[in-house]
Amino acid sequence: LTMNDQNNIKVVAIEEEMQSAYLDYAMSVIVARALPDVRDGLKPVHRRIIFAMNEAGNQYSKPFRKSARVVGEVMGKYHPHGDAAIYETMVRLAQWFSMRIPLVEGQGNFGSMDGDMAAAARYTEARLSKISESLVTDIDYDTVNFVPNYDNSLKEPSVLPARFPNLLVNGSNGIAVGMATYIPTHNLGEVIDACCAVLDNPEITLDDLINKYIHGPDFPPGGIILGIDGIKKAFKTGAGAVLVRSQTQIVNNGRHDSILVTEIPYQVNKSRLVERIAELVKDKTIEDISDIRDESNKDGVRLVIELKKGAIGEVVLNQLFKYTQLQVNISYNMLALVKNKPLRLSLREIIDNFLEFRKDVITRRCKYLLNQNKSKAHVLIGFCIA
């Protein structure tokens, strides 16, 4: 039973009510929470953080500000959700091992590859990174639509006028209702070159884009991608998988071999990886390892796996690839919002949608500036007459 405006009782079938209510919830999660927009590559919470920081003058050229202040600004004006969720999102935007090009510059403890949490928001400081300026450039020139915020007291942009294809560069992952997205990170230079190639030659084939420009994903921690079939399938269909292997080297110190790991796959927890190797040694699944040390520092990853005398490094390395996350499958599922509809997109479709968006932004900017100059010209003509 539900109550209508006249306080009369209205009988509603529970099946219909559950169906419509859940459908509304599902669409809200899909459109306004979990999936990125193909144009700026951002989910609403990311967009609101960047916009709020820019509006507050928290740019890369200005001093750092307390993260708690940024979180309060975002939560109070644009994103009425938990402060912990907003802060965690901002922290991820600042992590070099999560973002191909971090959109936020952090000062203080912003977590690590070992899964360590960031320090509390009252201790850390943040500001927009330099490249984030490219996401908000020309936003004051009527280049994008603004919509009311949650309490209709302010306006917020429905999309940022991004000057580079952030969706491909920084990737995205999210779980909606009945669908999910996972887009790995790609190299900024390669993606820009591919966009320019499409502008110069709209008839360019996907194979040419792959062979000459975007050769595959480019992960922040590094790693080696095995084979190109998975990449080609993912770029053509929007779904596929690539096999990523750690960067390793077998060294001999005269007595025995050691395996040196200098890069690990994307989003692999380094401390759990070390624990997993130790478990395999303890369970005697791998018997030729005598010691493992994590010598990582601010300059990069360095895991040293000491082998027993007489052990063959290549054999142990293959066992590690088989049983641990030194080698992982990373899946592509390039789902994004196109005109508020979730669509699985190929590489070319993402580039085409971005370029169409940029044309629209530049056209709107030119119209705005033209109107501004016309109004100034009107006044100047009046002065001339006077």
Side-chain angles (χ1 to χ4, degrees):
L1 300 177
T2 61
M3 305 290 285
N4 64 14
D5 293 339
Q6 287 74 39
N7 289 330
N8 295 322
I9 294 176
K10 180 183 176 186
V11 179
V12 180
I14 191 168
E15 295 90 349
E16 293 175 12
E17 181 63 22
M18 289 289 287
Q19 192 174 33
S20 63
Y22 193 78
L23 192 61
D24 289 343
Y25 160 73
M27 287 308 296
S28 175
V29 171
I30 290 167
V31 175
R33 186 183 300 177
L35 300 183
D37 194 295
V38 71
R39 297 169 292 179
D40 62 3
L42 300 171
K43 300 176 188 178
V45 63
H46 301 132
R47 191 176 299 118
R48 287 164 178 164
I49 288 171
I50 292 169
F51 177 68
M53 290 178 78
N54 183 64
E55 286 293 288
N58 199 9
Q59 289 103 349
Y60 75 94
S61 56
K62 305 285 179 62
F64 287 93
R65 289 185 186 170
K66 282 289 184 187
S67 299
R69 182 175 172 182
V70 175
V71 170
E73 190 90 4
V74 175
M75 183 169 57
K77 290 184 175 179
Y78 308 111
H79 198 70
H81 297 277
D83 57 334
I86 296 170
Y87 182 53
E88 285 170 16
T89 303
M90 193 189 81
V91 163
R92 189 177 184 279
L93 290 178
Q95 292 175 333
W96 70 267
F97 51 87
S98 296
M99 307 290 287
R100 186 62 189 83
I101 301 181
L103 301 178
V104 171
E105 191 180 342
Q107 186 167 269
N109 173 18
F110 274 76
S112 73
M113 294 177 74
D114 293 323
D116 300 317
M117 299 289 287
R122 61 184 178 273
Y123 299 121
T124 61
E125 297 177 334
R127 64 185 177 192
L128 289 176
S129 64
K130 189 168 184 178
I131 199 167
S132 290
E133 183 187 20
S134 299
L135 291 176
V136 294
T137 300
D138 300 333
I139 198 167
D140 296 326
Y141 294 162
D142 190 34
T143 50
V144 293
N145 294 331
F146 277 70
V147 295
N149 70 334
Y150 67 94
D151 64 356
N152 210 18
S153 62
L154 295 165
K155 297 278 189 179
E156 62 175 303
S158 58
V159 65
L160 296 182
R163 298 183 73 182
F164 68 97
N166 183 57
L167 183 64
L168 284 173
V169 174
N170 277 319
S172 185
N173 65 79
I175 301 170
V177 177
M179 59 187 71
T181 184
Y182 193 93
I183 304 172
T185 58
H186 298 81
N187 184 275
L188 175 64
E190 291 181 1
V191 172
I192 296 291
D193 288 344
C195 290
C196 292
V198 172
L199 282 174
D200 293 338
N201 178 19
E203 304 300 319
I204 191 170
T205 64
L206 189 62
D207 285 333
D208 282 341
L209 282 177
I210 296 170
N211 295 330
K212 295 180 182 177
Y213 302 103
I214 306 180
H215 305 296
D218 185 13
F219 301 111
I224 301 168
I225 298 168
L226 304 181
I228 59 172
D229 290 343
I231 296 171
K232 284 186 174 180
K233 183 184 176 186
F235 283 172
K236 285 178 181 176
T237 66
V242 294
L243 193 61
V244 181
R245 178 176 283 186
S246 302
Q247 182 77 261
T248 59
Q249 181 184 358
I250 298 172
V251 294
N252 188 286
N253 62 6
R255 297 189 305 256
H256 56 77
D257 286 347
S258 297
I259 297 172
L260 185 63
V261 181
T262 52
E263 295 175 3
I264 61 174
Y266 184 47
Q267 292 187 328
V268 168
N269 186 308
K270 181 159 58 67
S271 64
R272 284 190 201 151
L273 174 63
V274 173
E275 287 173 14
R276 174 62 179 155
I277 296 171
E279 285 172 10
L280 292 169
V281 174
K282 185 178 178 183
D283 298 341
K284 297 190 176 178
T285 306
I286 301 177
E287 298 183 341
D288 289 328
I289 294 176
S290 61
D291 188 27
I292 176 169
R293 297 190 308 276
D294 184 357
E295 298 178 354
S296 305
N297 56 29
K298 60 185 175 65
D299 296 322
V301 173
R302 182 182 168 89
L303 298 179
V304 181
I305 302 168
E306 302 279 2
L307 305 186
K308 293 178 181 176
K309 192 173 181 180
I312 302 170
E314 286 81 0
V315 173
V316 177
L317 192 53
N318 284 330
Q319 289 176 314
L320 289 170
F321 288 147
K322 180 178 179 181
Y323 293 115
T324 73
Q325 286 191 306
L326 278 180
Q327 177 176 292
V328 298
N329 259 316
I330 292 182
S331 299
Y332 270 83
N333 187 21
M334 299 204 288
L335 201 74
L337 295 175
V338 180
K339 296 177 181 174
N340 273 347
K341 292 181 181 177
L343 296 176
R344 181 179 287 161
L345 304 166
S346 67
L347 175 70
R348 179 61 191 269
E349 287 171 333
I350 291 177
I351 292 174
D352 285 343
N353 275 286
F354 172 74
L355 293 177
E356 195 62 38
F357 171 61
R358 281 304 298 168
K359 288 176 186 174
D360 182 52
V361 166
I362 292 166
T363 304
R364 289 180 62 164
R365 182 186 69 195
C366 292
K367 287 180 178 176
Y368 176 85
L369 293 173
L370 180 63
N371 290 333
Q372 292 287 99
N373 287 328
K374 278 182 177 177
S375 63
K376 286 180 185 175
H378 181 71
V379 174
L380 293 173
I381 290 167
F383 278 134
C384 288
I385 294 169

